């Protein structure tokens, strides 16, 4: 129980409910409950089967745990845990801020803690999920990329990399005008990549809904499977945004997903993609876009 006391959950949170119920649960469910409490972020982002394998438990034990706590099943408990992790809409950034620690190495300690959290988050990104999403991009007639506010930078990076070898078939949502015009242009057979984290922008949710309504393949790069812009997605690529310390959530995982997504899509393109990339490089050279290196 000592590890659970560190969490200090609020009285109304699902973690608080879990901690309060532990003594009355059967021994095996107590073990599963302690695992969930100690790994609450993983509980919101990983499949029940993956969690069970790491905990050395039967996947059904997670369902039994949820029902013992009054939920209809594991999905409902996971949704409650996800909701509890979301920052207050009124202060999504300042609410994360901590007072400056004192001492000669306090700033270095914060940087090290942030780097460690970023590195740990990268290990939880699913390579298989990215590979599956890349196959969907490869077969799509057109690729749309939607990222707004801070996620715009990730969207622009992915757009740039894909256009190096598919210049006529990749478009940034809202890149040449109001995004609502692009939302109306989504079609079946196309793919729409939407990037976001809590608090989620309205534009990202509208983009996802428009993709789903048009019958396009929806790929969500998100911080949670319960993200509103991931609802109905064909592929959900998860990264950690909230685990890293600092006043602003982390985009490191989103960038780490975008780059291999582009790399595998290029690889699947074979000789045609390589030909288009060489043509792009030739144009860049002809217009002297880069500074010549001194020999």
């Amino acid at each position: 129980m000592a590890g659970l006391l560190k969490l200090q959950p609020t009285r109304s949170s699902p973690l608080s409910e879990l901690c309060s119920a532990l003594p009355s649960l059967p021994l095996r469910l107590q073990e599963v409950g302690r695992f969930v409490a100690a790994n609450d972020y993983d509980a919101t982002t990983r499949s029940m089967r993956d969690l069970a394998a790491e905990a050395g438990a039967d996947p059904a034990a997670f369902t039994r745990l949820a029902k013992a706590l009054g939920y209809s099943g594991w999905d409902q408990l996971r949704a409650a845990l996800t909701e509890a992790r979301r920052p207050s809409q009124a202060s999504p950034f300042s609410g994360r801020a901590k007072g400056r620690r004192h001492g000669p190495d306090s700033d270095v300690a914060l940087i090290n803690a942030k780097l460690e959290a970023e590195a740990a988050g990268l290990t939880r990104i699913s390579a298989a999920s990215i590979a599956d999403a890349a196959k969907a991009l490869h077969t799509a007639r057109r690729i749309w990329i939607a990222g707004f506010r801070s996620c715009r930078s990730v969207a622009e990076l992915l757009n740039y990399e894909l256009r190096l070898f598919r210049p006529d078939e990749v478009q940034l949502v809202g890149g040449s005008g109001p995004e609502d015009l692009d939302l109306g242009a989504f079609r079946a057979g196309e793919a729409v990549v939407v990037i976001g984290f809590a608090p989620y922008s309205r534009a990202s949710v509208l983009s996802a809904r428009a993709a789903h309504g048009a019958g396009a393949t929806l790929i969500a790069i998100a911080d949670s499977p319960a993200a509103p812009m991931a609802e109905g997605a064909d592929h959900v690529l998860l990264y950690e945004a909230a685990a890293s310390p600092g006043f602003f959530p982390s985009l490191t995982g989103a960038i780490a997903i975008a780059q291999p997504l582009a790399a595998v899509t290029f690889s699947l393109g074979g000789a045609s993609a390589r030909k288009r990339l060489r043509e792009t490089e030739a144009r860049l050279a002809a217009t002297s876009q880069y500074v010549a290196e001194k020999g």
Side-chain angles (χ1 to χ4, degrees), residues 231-255:
E231 183 176 346
D234 299 278
H235 302 271
V236 180
L237 310 180
L238 296 172
Y239 68 96
E240 295 188 10
S244 176
F247 79 96
F248 200 82
S250 173
L251 282 168
T252 299
I255 294 172

Side-chain angles (χ1 to χ4, degrees), residues 73-236:
W74 172 250
D75 287 342
Q76 288 68 35
L77 174 55
R78 184 173 68 172
L81 290 168
T82 300
E83 186 64 30
R85 289 183 61 88
R86 290 182 180 174
S88 166
Q89 289 298 309
S91 56
F93 309 128
S94 63
R96 289 172 47 85
K98 302 293 188 295
R100 187 173 185 270
R101 287 179 287 185
H102 299 289
D105 298 323
S106 59
D107 296 334
V108 173
L110 173 59
I111 293 169
N112 283 334
K114 189 166 179 61
L115 292 175
E116 289 172 5
E118 305 279 13
L122 294 182
T123 65
R124 300 187 183 102
I125 293 174
S126 170
S129 296
I130 297 174
D132 287 342
K135 293 174 184 175
L137 292 186
H138 170 62
T139 58
R141 292 196 301 268
R142 178 178 289 275
I143 300 171
W144 299 87
I145 305 171
F148 305 95
R149 304 186 70 82
S150 60
C151 291
R152 192 67 169 186
S153 59
V154 184
E156 289 178 345
L157 173 64
L158 181 57
N159 175 70
Y160 178 76
E161 292 194 17
L162 290 174
R163 289 198 66 189
L164 288 173
F165 60 94
R166 291 185 65 172
D168 303 323
E169 303 155 1
V170 181
Q171 187 165 336
L172 193 66
V173 174
S176 58
E179 62 263 14
D180 59 281
L181 296 179
D182 291 333
L183 304 190
F186 295 167
R187 295 290 182 270
E190 300 177 345
V192 180
V193 181
V194 183
I195 306 158
F197 64 85
Y200 306 100
S201 69
R202 290 188 72 254
S204 67
V205 177
L206 291 174
S207 298
R209 290 175 180 171
H212 192 263
T217 297
L218 174 58
I219 299 171
I221 300 178
D223 64 335
S224 167
M229 26 78 66
E231 183 176 346
D234 299 278
H235 302 271
V236 180

Side-chain angles (χ1 to χ4, degrees), residues 281-292:
E281 289 175 323
R283 188 180 67 254
L284 292 173
T287 55
S288 301
Q289 293 299 311
Y290 298 113
V291 175

